[in-house]
């Protein structure tokens, strides 16, 4: 059996705040093999982006990170020095940030920013770095690539800036790419192009990808594995086909009911909703944090919640069969 490229066990992130400690991420587990795409999905504020920053070692100084295990290709990330992490970031692990206009430096040309990572991590000269930058700009679908090197970020459209960010992440041929909602600021047509581009590049280069999103429609198109995150913990994980065909956690089912289905959702009909708001994670957190919004909550939900596993499909709920006895989610 192939060993996972990335292995995370019991990752916790705590943030000191005025009223106590905010338990932003609470004991999450997942792994990822080469060539796989894992989608982490959930509402805003569920801890998705913080998880990605923890993997990259880019957390703020006040955030306390703990993990039983967090390995990349067999190397423990939590014990790496700052120098070792800098060597890993951009070289073997890359990140595509959420908003390209704020991620690209407005004072430097596109060419300088693309070439910087390669010059830092690989023993190449400027001419080789420039050639690599042109090659990748063409690969991500940017025409007149050579002339773009001298342009500044504000001279490009949102879609082109996002393509530049993808090219930048690929400069050193990484083994893992983390994409944090890379299509949020783009229109629907450009979203589809960017997602197709990412999927094609991942397959061509046999890289692993973690895609962070709140859009289950996107997940259905690209994911091999899905991790559903709510209030800092993973409530359900498994192969994408299983999550969509037989969701077990009430939160997962609620998310799926919010998606319009082509050919099935009637025009003008109301989509599903999840009532209530995400609870505060400051101070002691116990039981199922979704219980205040769940139609099937019981007194037992205030206690420790068991984890059920069926093959590669795992969920946390007091009901051993999940919500399969409840109303069916449209396929």
């Amino acid at each position: 059996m192939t060993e996972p490229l990335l292995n995370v066990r019991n990752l916790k992130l705590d943030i000191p705040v005025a009223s106590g400690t905010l338990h932003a991420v609470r004991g999450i587990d997942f792994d990822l093999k080469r060539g796989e795409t894992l989608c982490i999905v959930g509402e805003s504020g569920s801890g998705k982006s913080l998880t990605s920053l923890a993997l990259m070692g880019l957390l703020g100084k006040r955030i306390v990170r703990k993990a039983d295990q967090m390995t990349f290709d067999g190397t423990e990330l939590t014990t790496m020095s700052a120098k070792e992490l800098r060597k890993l970031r951009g070289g073997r692990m890359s990140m595509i940030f959420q908003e390209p206009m704020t991620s690209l430096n407005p004072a430097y040309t596109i060419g300088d920013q693309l070439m910087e990572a390669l010059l830092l991590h690989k023993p190449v000269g400027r001419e080789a770095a420039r050639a690599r930058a042109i090659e990748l700009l063409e690969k991500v679908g940017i025409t007149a690539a050579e002339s773009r090197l001298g342009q500044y970020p504000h001279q490009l459209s949102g879609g082109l800036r996002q393509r530049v960010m993808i090219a930048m992440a690929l400069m050193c041929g990484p083994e893992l790419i983390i994409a944090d909602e890379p299509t949020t600021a783009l229109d629907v047509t450009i979203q589809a192009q960017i997602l197709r581009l990412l999927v094609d590049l991942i397959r061509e280069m046999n890289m692993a990808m973690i895609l962070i999103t709140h859009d289950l429609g996107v997940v259905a198109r690209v994911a091999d594995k899905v991790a559903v995150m709510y209030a800092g913990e993973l409530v359900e994980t498994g192969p994408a086909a299983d999550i969509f065909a037989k969701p077990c956690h009430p939160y997962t089912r609620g998310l799926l009911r919010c998606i319009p289905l082509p050919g099935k959702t009637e025009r003008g009909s109301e989509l599903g909703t999840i009532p209530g708001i995400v609870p505060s994670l400051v101070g002691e957190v116990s039981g199922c944090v979704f219980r205040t919004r769940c139609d099937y909550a019981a007194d037992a939900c205030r206690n420790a919640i068991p984890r059920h596993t069926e093959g590669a499909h795992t969920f946390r709920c007091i009901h051993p069969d999940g919500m399969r006895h409840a109303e069916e989610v449209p396929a």
Side-chain angles (χ1 to χ4, degrees):
M1 182 179 294
T2 306
E3 289 297 317
L5 175 67
L6 181 68
N7 196 310
V8 176
R9 292 292 176 270
N10 197 28
L11 173 62
K12 299 178 181 179
L13 299 176
D14 294 333
I15 307 174
V17 295
S19 54
T21 300
L22 171 63
H23 304 288
V25 173
R26 302 179 296 114
I28 66 173
D29 303 335
F30 63 88
D31 53 52
L32 186 64
K33 296 180 181 178
R34 298 177 192 273
E36 283 187 333
T37 295
L38 167 68
C39 285
I40 303 179
V41 64
E43 292 173 272
S44 296
S46 59
K48 306 185 301 297
S49 293
L50 275 178
T51 298
S52 68
L53 293 174
L55 295 173
M56 295 292 289
L58 294 173
L59 293 169
K61 293 182 179 179
R62 295 176 63 247
I63 301 177
V64 179
R65 180 184 69 178
K66 297 179 182 178
D68 292 344
Q69 183 180 22
M70 195 165 73
T71 59
F72 175 79
D73 197 20
T75 302
E76 181 59 49
L77 296 175
T78 57
T79 57
M80 274 189 168
S81 66
K83 183 178 180 180
E84 290 171 327
L85 275 174
R86 282 196 300 271
K87 185 177 180 180
L88 189 66
R89 283 195 303 260
R92 300 180 67 192
M93 296 171 60
S94 290
M95 187 164 180
I96 303 170
F97 294 94
Q98 188 167 356
E99 176 46 64
M101 195 61 213
T102 57
S103 301
L104 293 169
N105 192 322
Y108 291 89
T109 65
I110 297 300
D112 285 340
Q113 295 183 67
L114 283 169
M115 293 160 57
E116 180 183 20
L118 194 62
L119 292 171
L120 181 64
H121 291 284
K122 302 289 184 181
V124 300
R126 290 191 65 84
E127 286 302 315
R130 179 182 173 84
R132 174 69 170 169
I134 294 171
E135 174 194 352
L136 285 175
L137 288 180
E138 291 174 345
K139 186 179 285 290
V140 298
I142 295 180
T143 57
E146 187 170 3
S147 66
R148 302 288 188 184
L149 296 182
Q151 293 184 317
Y152 290 85
H154 73 272
Q155 295 176 289
L156 304 181
S157 67
L160 285 178
R161 287 194 296 265
Q162 194 65 72
R163 290 171 188 266
V164 168
M165 286 295 299
I166 294 173
M168 189 180 297
L170 296 173
M171 281 295 288
C172 295
E175 297 158 64
L176 170 66
I177 283 186
I178 300 174
D180 186 2
E181 301 197 28
T183 61
T184 296
L186 306 177
D187 63 54
V188 176
T189 303
I190 302 300
Q191 278 189 18
Q193 293 175 2
I194 295 296
L195 287 170
R196 175 46 53 194
L197 172 64
L198 276 172
V199 171
D200 290 345
L201 290 171
I202 293 300
R203 291 173 179 169
E204 178 184 339
M205 300 182 177
N206 195 34
M207 295 181 290
M209 179 169 71
I210 296 176
L211 177 62
I212 295 170
T213 182
H214 60 269
D215 188 340
L216 278 170
V218 168
V219 174
R221 294 197 294 271
V222 304
D224 297 306
K225 300 194 294 189
V226 178
V228 181
M229 197 165 190
Y230 179 76
E233 68 178 1
L234 297 181
V235 296
E236 186 164 4
T237 60
D242 288 353
I243 297 292
F244 283 93
K246 47 182 181 181
C248 294
H249 196 278
Y251 180 61
T252 309
R253 299 177 69 90
L255 290 176
L256 289 170
R257 283 196 297 269
C258 297
I259 304 175
L261 300 174
K264 294 188 177 182
T265 303
E266 297 182 6
R267 181 183 294 273
S269 62
E270 294 186 1
L271 296 177
T273 60
I274 302 176
I277 60 174
V278 179
S280 171
L281 297 178
V282 176
E284 183 179 355
V285 181
S286 61
C288 176
V289 289
F290 188 64
R291 65 181 183 270
T292 58
R293 307 174 70 185
C294 181
D295 293 334
Y296 309 99
D299 288 340
C301 296
R302 299 177 181 274
N303 305 322
I305 304 301
R307 177 179 297 180
H308 306 285
T309 301
E310 298 179 6
H313 191 169
T314 299
F315 64 97
R316 300 173 66 91
C317 188
I318 62 169
H319 303 288
D321 295 322
M323 290 291 99
R324 294 177 192 172
H325 65 279
E327 81 283 358
E328 288 298 316
V329 173

